[in-house]
Amino acid sequence: MLGFLLRRIALAIPTLLAVMTAVFVLARVVPGDPAQVILGDQATAEALAALRQRLGVDRPLPAQYVDFLSGILRGDLGTSMVTGKSVWAEVLAVLPYTIELTLAAILLGILFGVPLGVLAATRHNRLPDALTRVLSLAGLSFPAFVSAVLLLLVFAIELRWFPVISNPRSGDLLERLQHLALPALNLGLIMTAYITRVTRSSVLGVLGEDYIRTARAKGIGRRAVLWRHALRNALIPVATVIGLYLGTMIGNSVLTEIVFNRPGLGKLILGALNQRDYTLLQGLMVIFAGFIVLANVATDLAYGLIDPRVRAR
Amino acid sequence: MTEPVLAIRNLAVEFRSRDGWLPAVRGIDLDLAPNETLALVGESGSGKSLTALAIMGLVPGPAGRIAAGSSIRFEGEELVGASEKALDAVRGNRIAMIFQEPMTALNPTMTVGAQIAEAIRVHRGLGRDAAWRESERLLDLVKVPSRRRRMHDYPHQFSGGMRQRVMIAIALACRPRVLLADEPTTALDVTIQAQVLGLLEDLKREHGLAVLFITHNLGVVALIADRVAVMYAGEIVESGRVEAIFAAPKHPYTLGLLGSTLRIDRDIEALQPIPGSVPAPGALGRGCAFAPRCPRAVSRCETEPPPLEAVAPGRLVRCWMPA
Ligand SMILES: Nc1ncnc2c1ncn2[C@@H]1O[C@H](COP(=O)(O)OP(=O)(O)OP(=O)(O)O)[C@@H](O)[C@H]1O
Ligand SMILES: [Mg+2]
């Protein structure tokens, strides 16, 4: 298992390198001089030159590229142009809130999505199946920020069950859960819709497999066959989808964090964009890329745990 | 003949289509005595697997079903229309089945040991450890080498022949009275085939099993079967003792299957001198189902379906113009 994990991580390195290079190039082709953006139109030539030197943007591109990569290798993502704090400090200050939100959403998605998908598959072409299909399609086609606003209107403003502004820093566990509930539900609903659909089609496929018939021929009841034989095999594609969806999830969490006014990577990105904080943006892109690669490794790992054939390869 | 363990009467299996329910198995009668091996032969699509699945109560629904008026009695107990619970108590316990395709018949995410032990625990009520030890004994019985280690392996670590042995171990786990073997060796190469057949033969002798052996391979039939039933388009067209049928086939279809020269190592497909193929369930005419392909057909064959009639003791033929 450890060897399998190491192989997967080694395979991720070229991907990461390609992404870093893309980030570097992107940050350089963006029009405008960062020193000018920071200091404004009134800045003197000396001040601009001094800042350029401090930012390192006056050096030749290959040298900058080497600096950039070696910085990343040392774990140094530079400092924010606006606050002067290190990118890591900015990120670490809000990262736990985004992780909390994402994990809660995935958990909700699995908790609701897997049973719903199984229900739909076992009642194939009957009412529960039709209902879950319609609902999950609705869940997927609904924009995340619209559902966020609706949730706010109903549960925070009308019913007053949850706070309007999600403040993850507040008080005891119960209170924190209350603040987490609506944003997590918003993302979790999308996740549920996704997982329901994938689970449904995956279970349907697996139920037609020969080994399911073998299990029935052994005299194992329908229910036990479903849970013991079908589900484990059906979860393989579900794990993939969760992994792949993490990327999309980050985009949706940006929108969700903005609507609920909740600190996190999403709001950090928005701030960096508004303030043209190029170094922070560049650092954030590297971190996001790292996350997505990590999510992929985690997905492969989940495969390995579920499917013995993958472990062997 | 002794009292049959399995008595099938008027078994029909049908599938839903745009034109309503179409029969794929059309009213067959079969008796299986203890210690007997009955071979069920016929071309692809003649309904052999469906017959076995019907006995197991595993006709793929909801598109397929056993038609009203069918009867399958096992040790006097009616299986058609029995509850799922009653069927679960019989399946894998007193009637077991081995499937055609060993590569896909085992669960890829469960160890082989767990898959054998599962049946034992469900039917024999043994605890985890006892079931595990019993599974080891079964792997020994079907001659899987270094079984202690193999118990923890997954199916993908086994070859086709070894997987089929595992399937046999699962089938025998609860010492069934009847074994339905659906082309258990077709997917295997010749030497492995011979080993698996030998193994089945030994086990049958030791356990007093009744075996319904489905196959394409007439060489295998000659080797292991006591009686043969030949199926065509969902019907039995000829049945009798192996020696009698091989010596003098009566039905033109059986004749065609056997061909002019019978060779032990040949497959039906390789010999097949019959032009055309088995008609689909919806495409049957009024008369004999085989008439369009039959070299002996006369006008009566086109208009009137022949009945299955005794031509000698224990010998049945469905033909207006038997040889
Ligand atoms: N799931 C199904 N849906 C519709 N028709 C089916 C289905 N399964 C089988 N049939 C019909 O029943 C016929 C007999 O099928 P069966 O599997 O019993 O054939 P077989 O004799 O076992 O053939 P083979 O030697 O290829 O295994 C097929 O030709 C097909 O028309
Ligand atoms: Mg078949």
Side-chain angles (χ1 to χ4, degrees):
Chain A
M1 200 67 209
L2 187 69
F4 168 74
L5 187 61
L6 290 178
R7 274 199 303 279
R8 290 304 306 145
I9 293 174
L11 275 177
I13 290 174
T15 319
L16 267 178
L17 196 68
V19 174
M20 302 303 158
T21 309
V23 168
F24 176 82
V25 172
L26 271 177
R28 297 302 176 286
V29 298
V30 172
D33 174 1
Q36 190 86 62
V37 171
I38 294 171
L39 296 179
D41 294 340
Q42 310 298 317
T44 62
E46 294 90 74
L48 284 175
L51 184 59
R52 280 195 206 104
Q53 198 193 2
R54 196 159 64 76
L55 295 174
V57 292
D58 58 339
R59 306 177 54 211
L61 279 180
Q64 287 188 39
Y65 182 62
V66 171
D67 276 358
F68 173 66
L69 283 187
S70 68
I72 291 174
L73 272 185
R74 277 179 281 117
D76 177 11
L77 292 175
T79 52
S80 160
M81 285 178 176
V82 175
T83 63
K85 283 196 261 177
S86 83
V87 171
W88 271 120
E90 296 279 359
V91 168
L92 287 180
V94 294
L95 186 61
Y97 309 130
T98 298
I99 290 183
E100 187 180 79
L101 178 62
T102 310
L103 285 185
I106 292 179
L107 209 67
L108 282 178
I110 294 174
L111 227 57
F112 293 121
V114 170
L116 275 176
V118 170
L119 181 79
T122 51
R123 307 282 188 286
H124 185 38
N125 282 338
R126 281 183 278 163
L127 189 66
D129 186 24
L131 270 180
T132 44
R133 268 153 80 185
V134 170
L135 287 179
S136 64
L137 189 63
L140 284 181
S141 36
F142 225 69
F145 66 91
V146 177
S147 52
V149 170
L150 284 179
L151 283 175
L152 268 183
L153 278 176
V154 175
F155 293 104
I157 296 175
E158 274 303 312
L159 296 172
R160 294 176 178 277
W161 289 353
F162 301 102
V164 176
I165 291 177
S166 169
N167 177 8
R169 295 184 180 92
S170 63
D172 59 3
L173 186 65
L174 191 70
E175 205 168 324
R176 285 186 59 165
L177 282 179
Q178 239 179 1
H179 281 269
L180 180 62
L182 283 187
L185 196 61
N186 188 48
L187 282 182
L189 283 178
I190 305 174
M191 203 67 207
T192 302
Y194 235 103
I195 292 181
T196 302
R197 288 177 79 81
V198 179
T199 306
R200 173 185 174 272
S201 64
S202 175
V203 169
L204 270 182
V206 166
L207 285 179
E209 294 282 347
D210 282 358
Y211 57 81
I212 296 299
R213 195 179 55 187
T214 304
R216 298 282 289 141
K218 282 198 277 187
I220 315 293
R222 239 175 241 289
R223 201 175 270 262
V225 167
L226 183 67
W227 296 109
R228 216 173 318 152
H229 290 266
L231 200 58
R232 190 186 177 92
N233 288 288
L235 283 183
I236 296 168
V238 176
T240 321
V241 162
I242 295 175
L244 291 177
Y245 192 66
L246 276 180
T248 320
M249 184 86 129
I250 288 165
N252 281 326
S253 68
V254 172
L255 294 171
T256 305
E257 282 170 1
I258 292 165
V259 175
F260 288 96
N261 204 0
R262 183 187 155 89
L265 288 183
K267 284 203 68 186
L268 199 60
I269 292 186
L270 189 73
L273 274 172
N274 281 339
Q275 298 174 307
R276 310 270 157 103
D277 192 340
Y278 291 124
T279 44
L280 181 58
L281 267 183
Q282 182 176 288
L284 280 172
M285 280 198 274
V286 170
I287 287 173
F288 273 127
F291 267 135
I292 292 179
V293 169
L294 212 65
N296 276 315
V297 173
T299 309
D300 284 336
L301 201 64
Y303 270 0
L305 287 177
I306 299 173
D307 188 347
R309 285 166 301 183
V310 174
R311 237 171 351 218
R313 282 205 286 274
Chain B
M1 202 165 99
T2 44
E3 188 69 12
V5 270
L6 193 68
I8 299 173
R9 292 292 173 271
N10 195 30
L11 173 67
V13 179
E14 48 193 19
F15 282 98
R16 189 156 45 203
S17 77
R18 233 172 295 134
D19 315 320
W21 291 89
L22 294 178
V25 172
R26 303 183 295 142
I28 66 170
D29 295 349
L30 282 176
D31 280 319
L32 193 59
N35 279 312
E36 179 186 44
T37 298
L38 171 63
L40 197 56
V41 300
E43 283 167 293
S44 201
S46 50
K48 307 182 295 293
S49 296
L50 278 180
T51 303
L53 287 174
I55 297 169
M56 295 297 280
L58 291 177
V59 172
R65 68 176 186 197
I66 296 179
S70 306
S71 164
I72 299 170
R73 296 187 84 83
F74 168 70
E75 294 183 327
E77 183 189 350
E78 180 61 58
L79 297 183
V80 175
S83 69
E84 281 290 314
K85 196 157 166 272
L87 286 174
D88 278 336
V90 172
R91 284 194 279 247
N93 187 20
R94 294 191 291 153
I95 306 181
M97 181 160 175
I98 306 173
F99 295 97
Q100 201 161 342
E101 186 41 75
M103 299 315 271
T104 55
L106 291 169
N107 187 335
T109 60
M110 252 171 116
T111 62
V112 157
Q115 294 189 59
I116 304 173
E118 191 180 21
I120 300 173
R121 295 187 64 183
V122 166
H123 295 297
R124 290 167 60 183
L126 293 188
R128 187 180 291 269
D129 293 341
W132 193 261
R133 276 194 303 276
E134 177 66 5
S135 309
E136 282 186 343
R137 199 188 61 79
L138 283 160
L139 271 192
D140 231 11
L141 191 73
V142 296
K143 304 193 169 65
V144 169
S146 52
R147 53 165 165 89
R148 267 184 188 283
R149 188 166 50 76
R150 295 304 248 163
M151 289 283 286
H152 297 279
D153 281 350
Y154 289 91
H156 72 269
Q157 291 160 300
F158 282 65
S159 67
M162 283 297 151
R163 286 187 210 190
Q164 202 56 293
R165 283 162 202 252
V166 172
M167 283 300 297
I168 295 172
I170 291 175
L172 296 177
C174 300
R175 306 196 188 104
R177 298 295 316 279
V178 172
L179 178 66
L180 311 174
D182 189 358
E183 310 197 30
T185 59
T186 307
L188 309 176
D189 65 49
V190 182
T191 46
I192 310 292
Q193 239 181 60
Q195 287 176 19
V196 171
L197 284 176
L199 176 68
L200 271 178
E201 195 59 18
D202 292 347
L203 294 170
K204 188 195 136 197
R205 237 195 330 267
E206 286 159 30
H207 294 253
L209 273 177
V211 181
L212 181 69
F213 198 100
I214 297 174
T215 182
H216 277 149
N217 191 321
L218 290 175
V220 169
V221 173
L223 213 57
I224 66 158
D226 304 308
R227 286 193 303 132
V228 190
V230 181
M231 265 186 101
Y232 185 79
E235 283 179 326
I236 289 178
V237 294
E238 179 163 8
S239 66
R241 299 207 56 82
V242 174
E243 316 80 53
I245 288 193
F246 274 54
K250 296 273 185 225
H251 196 284
Y253 180 62
T254 316
L255 212 65
L257 283 183
L258 288 169
S260 44
T261 52
L262 175 68
R263 295 237 329 254
I264 289 291
D265 57 346
R266 281 240 199 116
D267 230 80
I268 284 183
E269 251 93 54
L271 293 168
Q272 202 190 111
I274 318 167
S277 57
V278 182
L284 292 167
R286 266 187 308 144
C288 170
F290 187 60
R293 297 168 73 190
C294 184
R296 302 167 66 93
V298 294
S299 62
R300 185 182 193 187
C301 303
E302 315 275 345
T303 53
E304 220 180 313
L308 190 63
E309 279 179 329
V311 292
R315 185 79 189 273
L316 298 169
V317 179
R318 188 189 294 279
C319 186
W320 293 126
M321 303 286 295

